Amino acid sequence: MSRTIATMFASTRRLVGDARRAYPPYPLLMWLAVAGTAQAQTPVPAPVQQDLYQEALQSIAEGRKNDASEALTRQIAREPQNAGAWLELALLQCGLGHADEAERLFAAIEQRFNPPQGILDVINEARDQGCQSWQAIRSSTVVFGRGIDQNVNQGALDPHYVVQSTGKEVELSADFKPKHDQYTVLSAEYLREVTPNGSMGFVQFQGRHNDSLTQYNSASLFTGIETPYRFGRWTLRTTGMLGLVSLGGRFYQRQAQLQARIGPPLPLPNSTQFTLMGGITHTQYLTLTNFDANTYELRGQFTYRRDGLFASAAAGYLVDHAREARPGGSRQGWFSNLLVRKNLERGWIGDAAYTRQTWTSDSAYLPGFVDQVRDQVTHVLRATLTYPVKKNQNLQIEARLVRNRENITIFEYNNRQVQLSWQWQTP
């Protein structure tokens, strides 16, 4: 799938982090203070209490405030003496702008539980600030960078090609040989909650201008919405996206994409998660005929997060269905990816990634001229170092190595890129 959607998921994680900070789990403080008294008055089976309360906290962390309110309401109905659920629900209602309901819950907490002074301070602070209407969380990022690209045009690794029909070796023209250039890149991204239940809209732009090879300048604009759901212990995130890509100053592609990411409740070790992602992408080429296609993808991913370390491993199967008489017809392939990101000394963050992508076509590429069935394997190695210059500004250097190997030699190529970027993030 496109790099754009991966970027969007990374930004989504930042936005979820903002939501978690905006709605901290204050009831945990309350629980420590009064849980002993409440449990002594009304014993409640632990599994029921834990499931609903954890479901509510998870909903808050994912920005699904309406779902959290419903879960907490059910928790209180089952366990009227759960002080933490009462306070969490009151703060949620206040954050959603429901001042009358929040005040009713605050008063009930004061009467039912006789909370300690620390919890009274939390309630009084909420009252003093007022229960304003729901405020959407938003985030934006701007990146400016300079880079060196050893093979802007993906020129062939071997400058010679043997025509199968005649057995004659010909030398490729200059347009098919690797071209080196430097470039400037500018990208911008904006995300905003569009509902109190965690749906987020996003807009992303990226433009690249080569110093000399301007015919390979590119730009892309994508917009879409992502919506989270929860069904018991199962989670679901759906994403719809539309995009437009230009190449050499002309509109080149239109894209439409639908994705769904499912999180099943598997018995995994702490800090480990598994998600299953399925998606379909429709690509329309505006300057080429017979290249429109629909790509279907099914991918599984394990992730691990703990103590400044993030690691992921993903693998998936793809089908690229040609809608018309595309050279080589439809194709199938496999995708795998490994990523490790770690906090280093003095604020540095380092990450390294490896990606392997294979494609095998259904038929000969160009019968009578290129009778081979195209078989492609692409390896990508990437390493990045990021340094936080200020609170919302980062300096990043990235190195990328590409090795594309194919049985049709004219398509084989190598590439190396190095890019230095400055990133601004708000808020």
Side-chain angles (χ1 to χ4, degrees):
M1 312 301 283
S2 68
R3 186 180 179 186
T4 301
I5 198 69
T7 304
M8 189 275 289
F9 285 147
S11 300
T12 297
R13 289 193 292 272
R14 291 198 303 271
L15 196 56
V16 167
D18 293 339
R20 187 180 291 109
R21 291 189 292 272
Y23 292 87
Y26 292 120
L28 295 181
L29 301 175
M30 185 70 160
W31 182 259
L32 292 175
V34 301
T37 303
Q39 287 185 345
Q41 295 175 1
T42 308
V44 178
V48 174
Q49 170 185 329
Q50 183 72 8
D51 286 350
L52 277 175
Y53 196 70
Q54 289 301 320
E55 178 182 334
L57 292 180
Q58 184 66 29
S59 296
I60 293 172
E62 294 173 356
R64 296 180 290 106
K65 303 175 187 64
N66 290 341
D67 288 353
S69 294
E70 293 176 5
L72 289 168
T73 300
R74 295 199 311 270
Q75 174 72 35
I76 290 172
R78 293 184 181 183
E79 187 192 359
Q81 295 303 320
N82 188 322
W86 280 85
L87 183 57
E88 191 74 76
L89 181 59
L91 292 171
L92 271 175
Q93 294 298 319
C94 187
L96 290 170
H98 304 157
D100 292 342
E101 177 63 12
E103 179 55 37
R104 184 187 71 80
L105 292 167
F106 286 145
I109 292 168
E110 294 170 332
Q111 295 172 7
R112 282 174 172 263
F113 303 106
N114 188 26
Q117 187 59 45
I119 300 304
L120 291 175
D121 291 342
V122 171
I123 294 174
N124 290 331
E125 181 181 359
R127 284 169 169 162
D128 292 342
Q129 292 180 350
C131 299
Q132 302 176 358
S133 60
W134 169 69
Q135 299 293 317
I137 298 173
R138 63 200 68 189
S139 174
S140 60
T141 303
V142 176
V143 178
F144 175 81
R146 286 283 295 170
I148 301 173
D149 192 331
Q150 297 292 334
N151 194 350
V152 176
N153 61 325
Q154 297 182 358
L157 179 63
D158 188 345
H160 301 92
Y161 179 71
V162 177
V163 181
Q164 290 184 323
S165 59
T166 63
K168 182 179 178 181
E169 182 179 279
V170 297
E171 183 173 353
L172 301 178
S173 67
D175 290 339
F176 291 92
K177 296 178 181 180
K179 296 179 181 292
H180 168 276
D181 203 356
Q182 299 182 38
Y183 64 88
T184 301
V185 64
L186 175 67
S187 65
E189 177 182 65
Y190 177 75
L191 296 94
R192 184 186 187 278
E193 282 187 313
V194 294
T195 71
N197 211 37
S199 294
M200 290 177 292
F202 62 90
V203 179
Q204 295 176 329
F205 168 81
Q206 180 170 302
R208 168 173 157 163
H209 184 274
N210 299 299
D211 290 357
S212 301
L213 302 172
T214 56
Q215 66 271 35
Y216 297 105
N217 290 350
S218 62
S220 63
L221 179 65
F222 288 86
T223 184
I225 187 169
E226 178 177 303
T227 302
Y229 302 92
R230 175 173 285 271
F231 304 96
R233 297 176 60 197
W234 291 72
T235 62
L236 171 66
R237 282 187 175 272
T238 60
T239 304
M241 183 175 68
L242 297 174
L244 188 62
V245 180
S246 71
L247 181 64
R250 300 176 60 190
F251 289 128
Y252 179 65
Q253 279 184 0
R254 279 199 292 254
Q255 289 188 12
Q257 186 178 80
L258 293 174
Q259 280 188 349
R261 290 191 299 160
I262 301 171
L266 299 178
L268 298 174
N270 290 337
S271 306
T272 303
Q273 292 183 327
F274 174 78
T275 56
L276 185 66
M277 190 273 283
I280 177 174
T281 302
H282 172 69
T283 304
Q284 180 183 10
Y285 289 82
L286 304 179
T287 59
L288 300 173
T289 58
N290 300 331
F291 275 82
D292 294 355
N294 292 326
T295 303
Y296 306 88
E297 178 180 11
L298 183 63
R299 181 187 307 185
Q301 181 177 24
F302 285 95
T303 59
Y304 176 85
R305 299 173 185 270
R306 188 174 182 180
D307 299 332
L309 174 66
F310 171 81
S312 71
Y317 179 69
L318 301 92
V319 175
D320 186 18
H321 178 69
R323 301 192 64 189
E324 299 179 25
R326 183 175 66 181
S330 299
R331 56 182 184 169
Q332 300 82 40
W334 292 91
F335 168 90
S336 58
N337 175 263
L338 295 173
L339 170 67
V340 177
R341 180 179 297 114
K342 182 174 176 54
N343 293 345
L344 306 175
E345 295 182 358
R346 300 185 179 181
W348 286 89
I349 301 173
D351 69 72
Y354 167 72
T355 301
R356 183 178 186 271
Q357 171 73 64
T358 69
W359 287 112
T360 302
S361 297
D362 288 345
S363 58
Y365 188 75
L366 287 176
F369 183 73
V370 181
D371 293 323
Q372 294 167 285
V373 175
R374 190 174 180 184
D375 193 355
Q376 176 183 7
V377 181
T378 305
H379 306 269
V380 180
L381 285 171
R382 180 181 61 82
T384 303
L385 282 174
T386 303
Y387 180 73
V389 179
K390 295 183 178 180
K391 180 180 179 181
N392 295 321
Q393 297 184 33
N394 298 321
L395 183 66
Q396 184 180 87
I397 184 168
E398 176 181 335
R400 183 183 297 265
L401 178 67
V402 181
R403 293 290 182 266
N404 186 69
R405 295 295 175 262
E406 304 204 24
N407 59 335
I408 303 176
T409 59
I410 194 174
F411 294 126
E412 288 192 305
Y413 70 91
N414 293 339
N415 195 14
R416 297 189 304 273
Q417 295 180 19
V418 177
Q419 180 175 306
L420 181 65
S421 303
W422 194 278
Q423 302 175 341
W424 291 267
Q425 297 178 341
T426 61

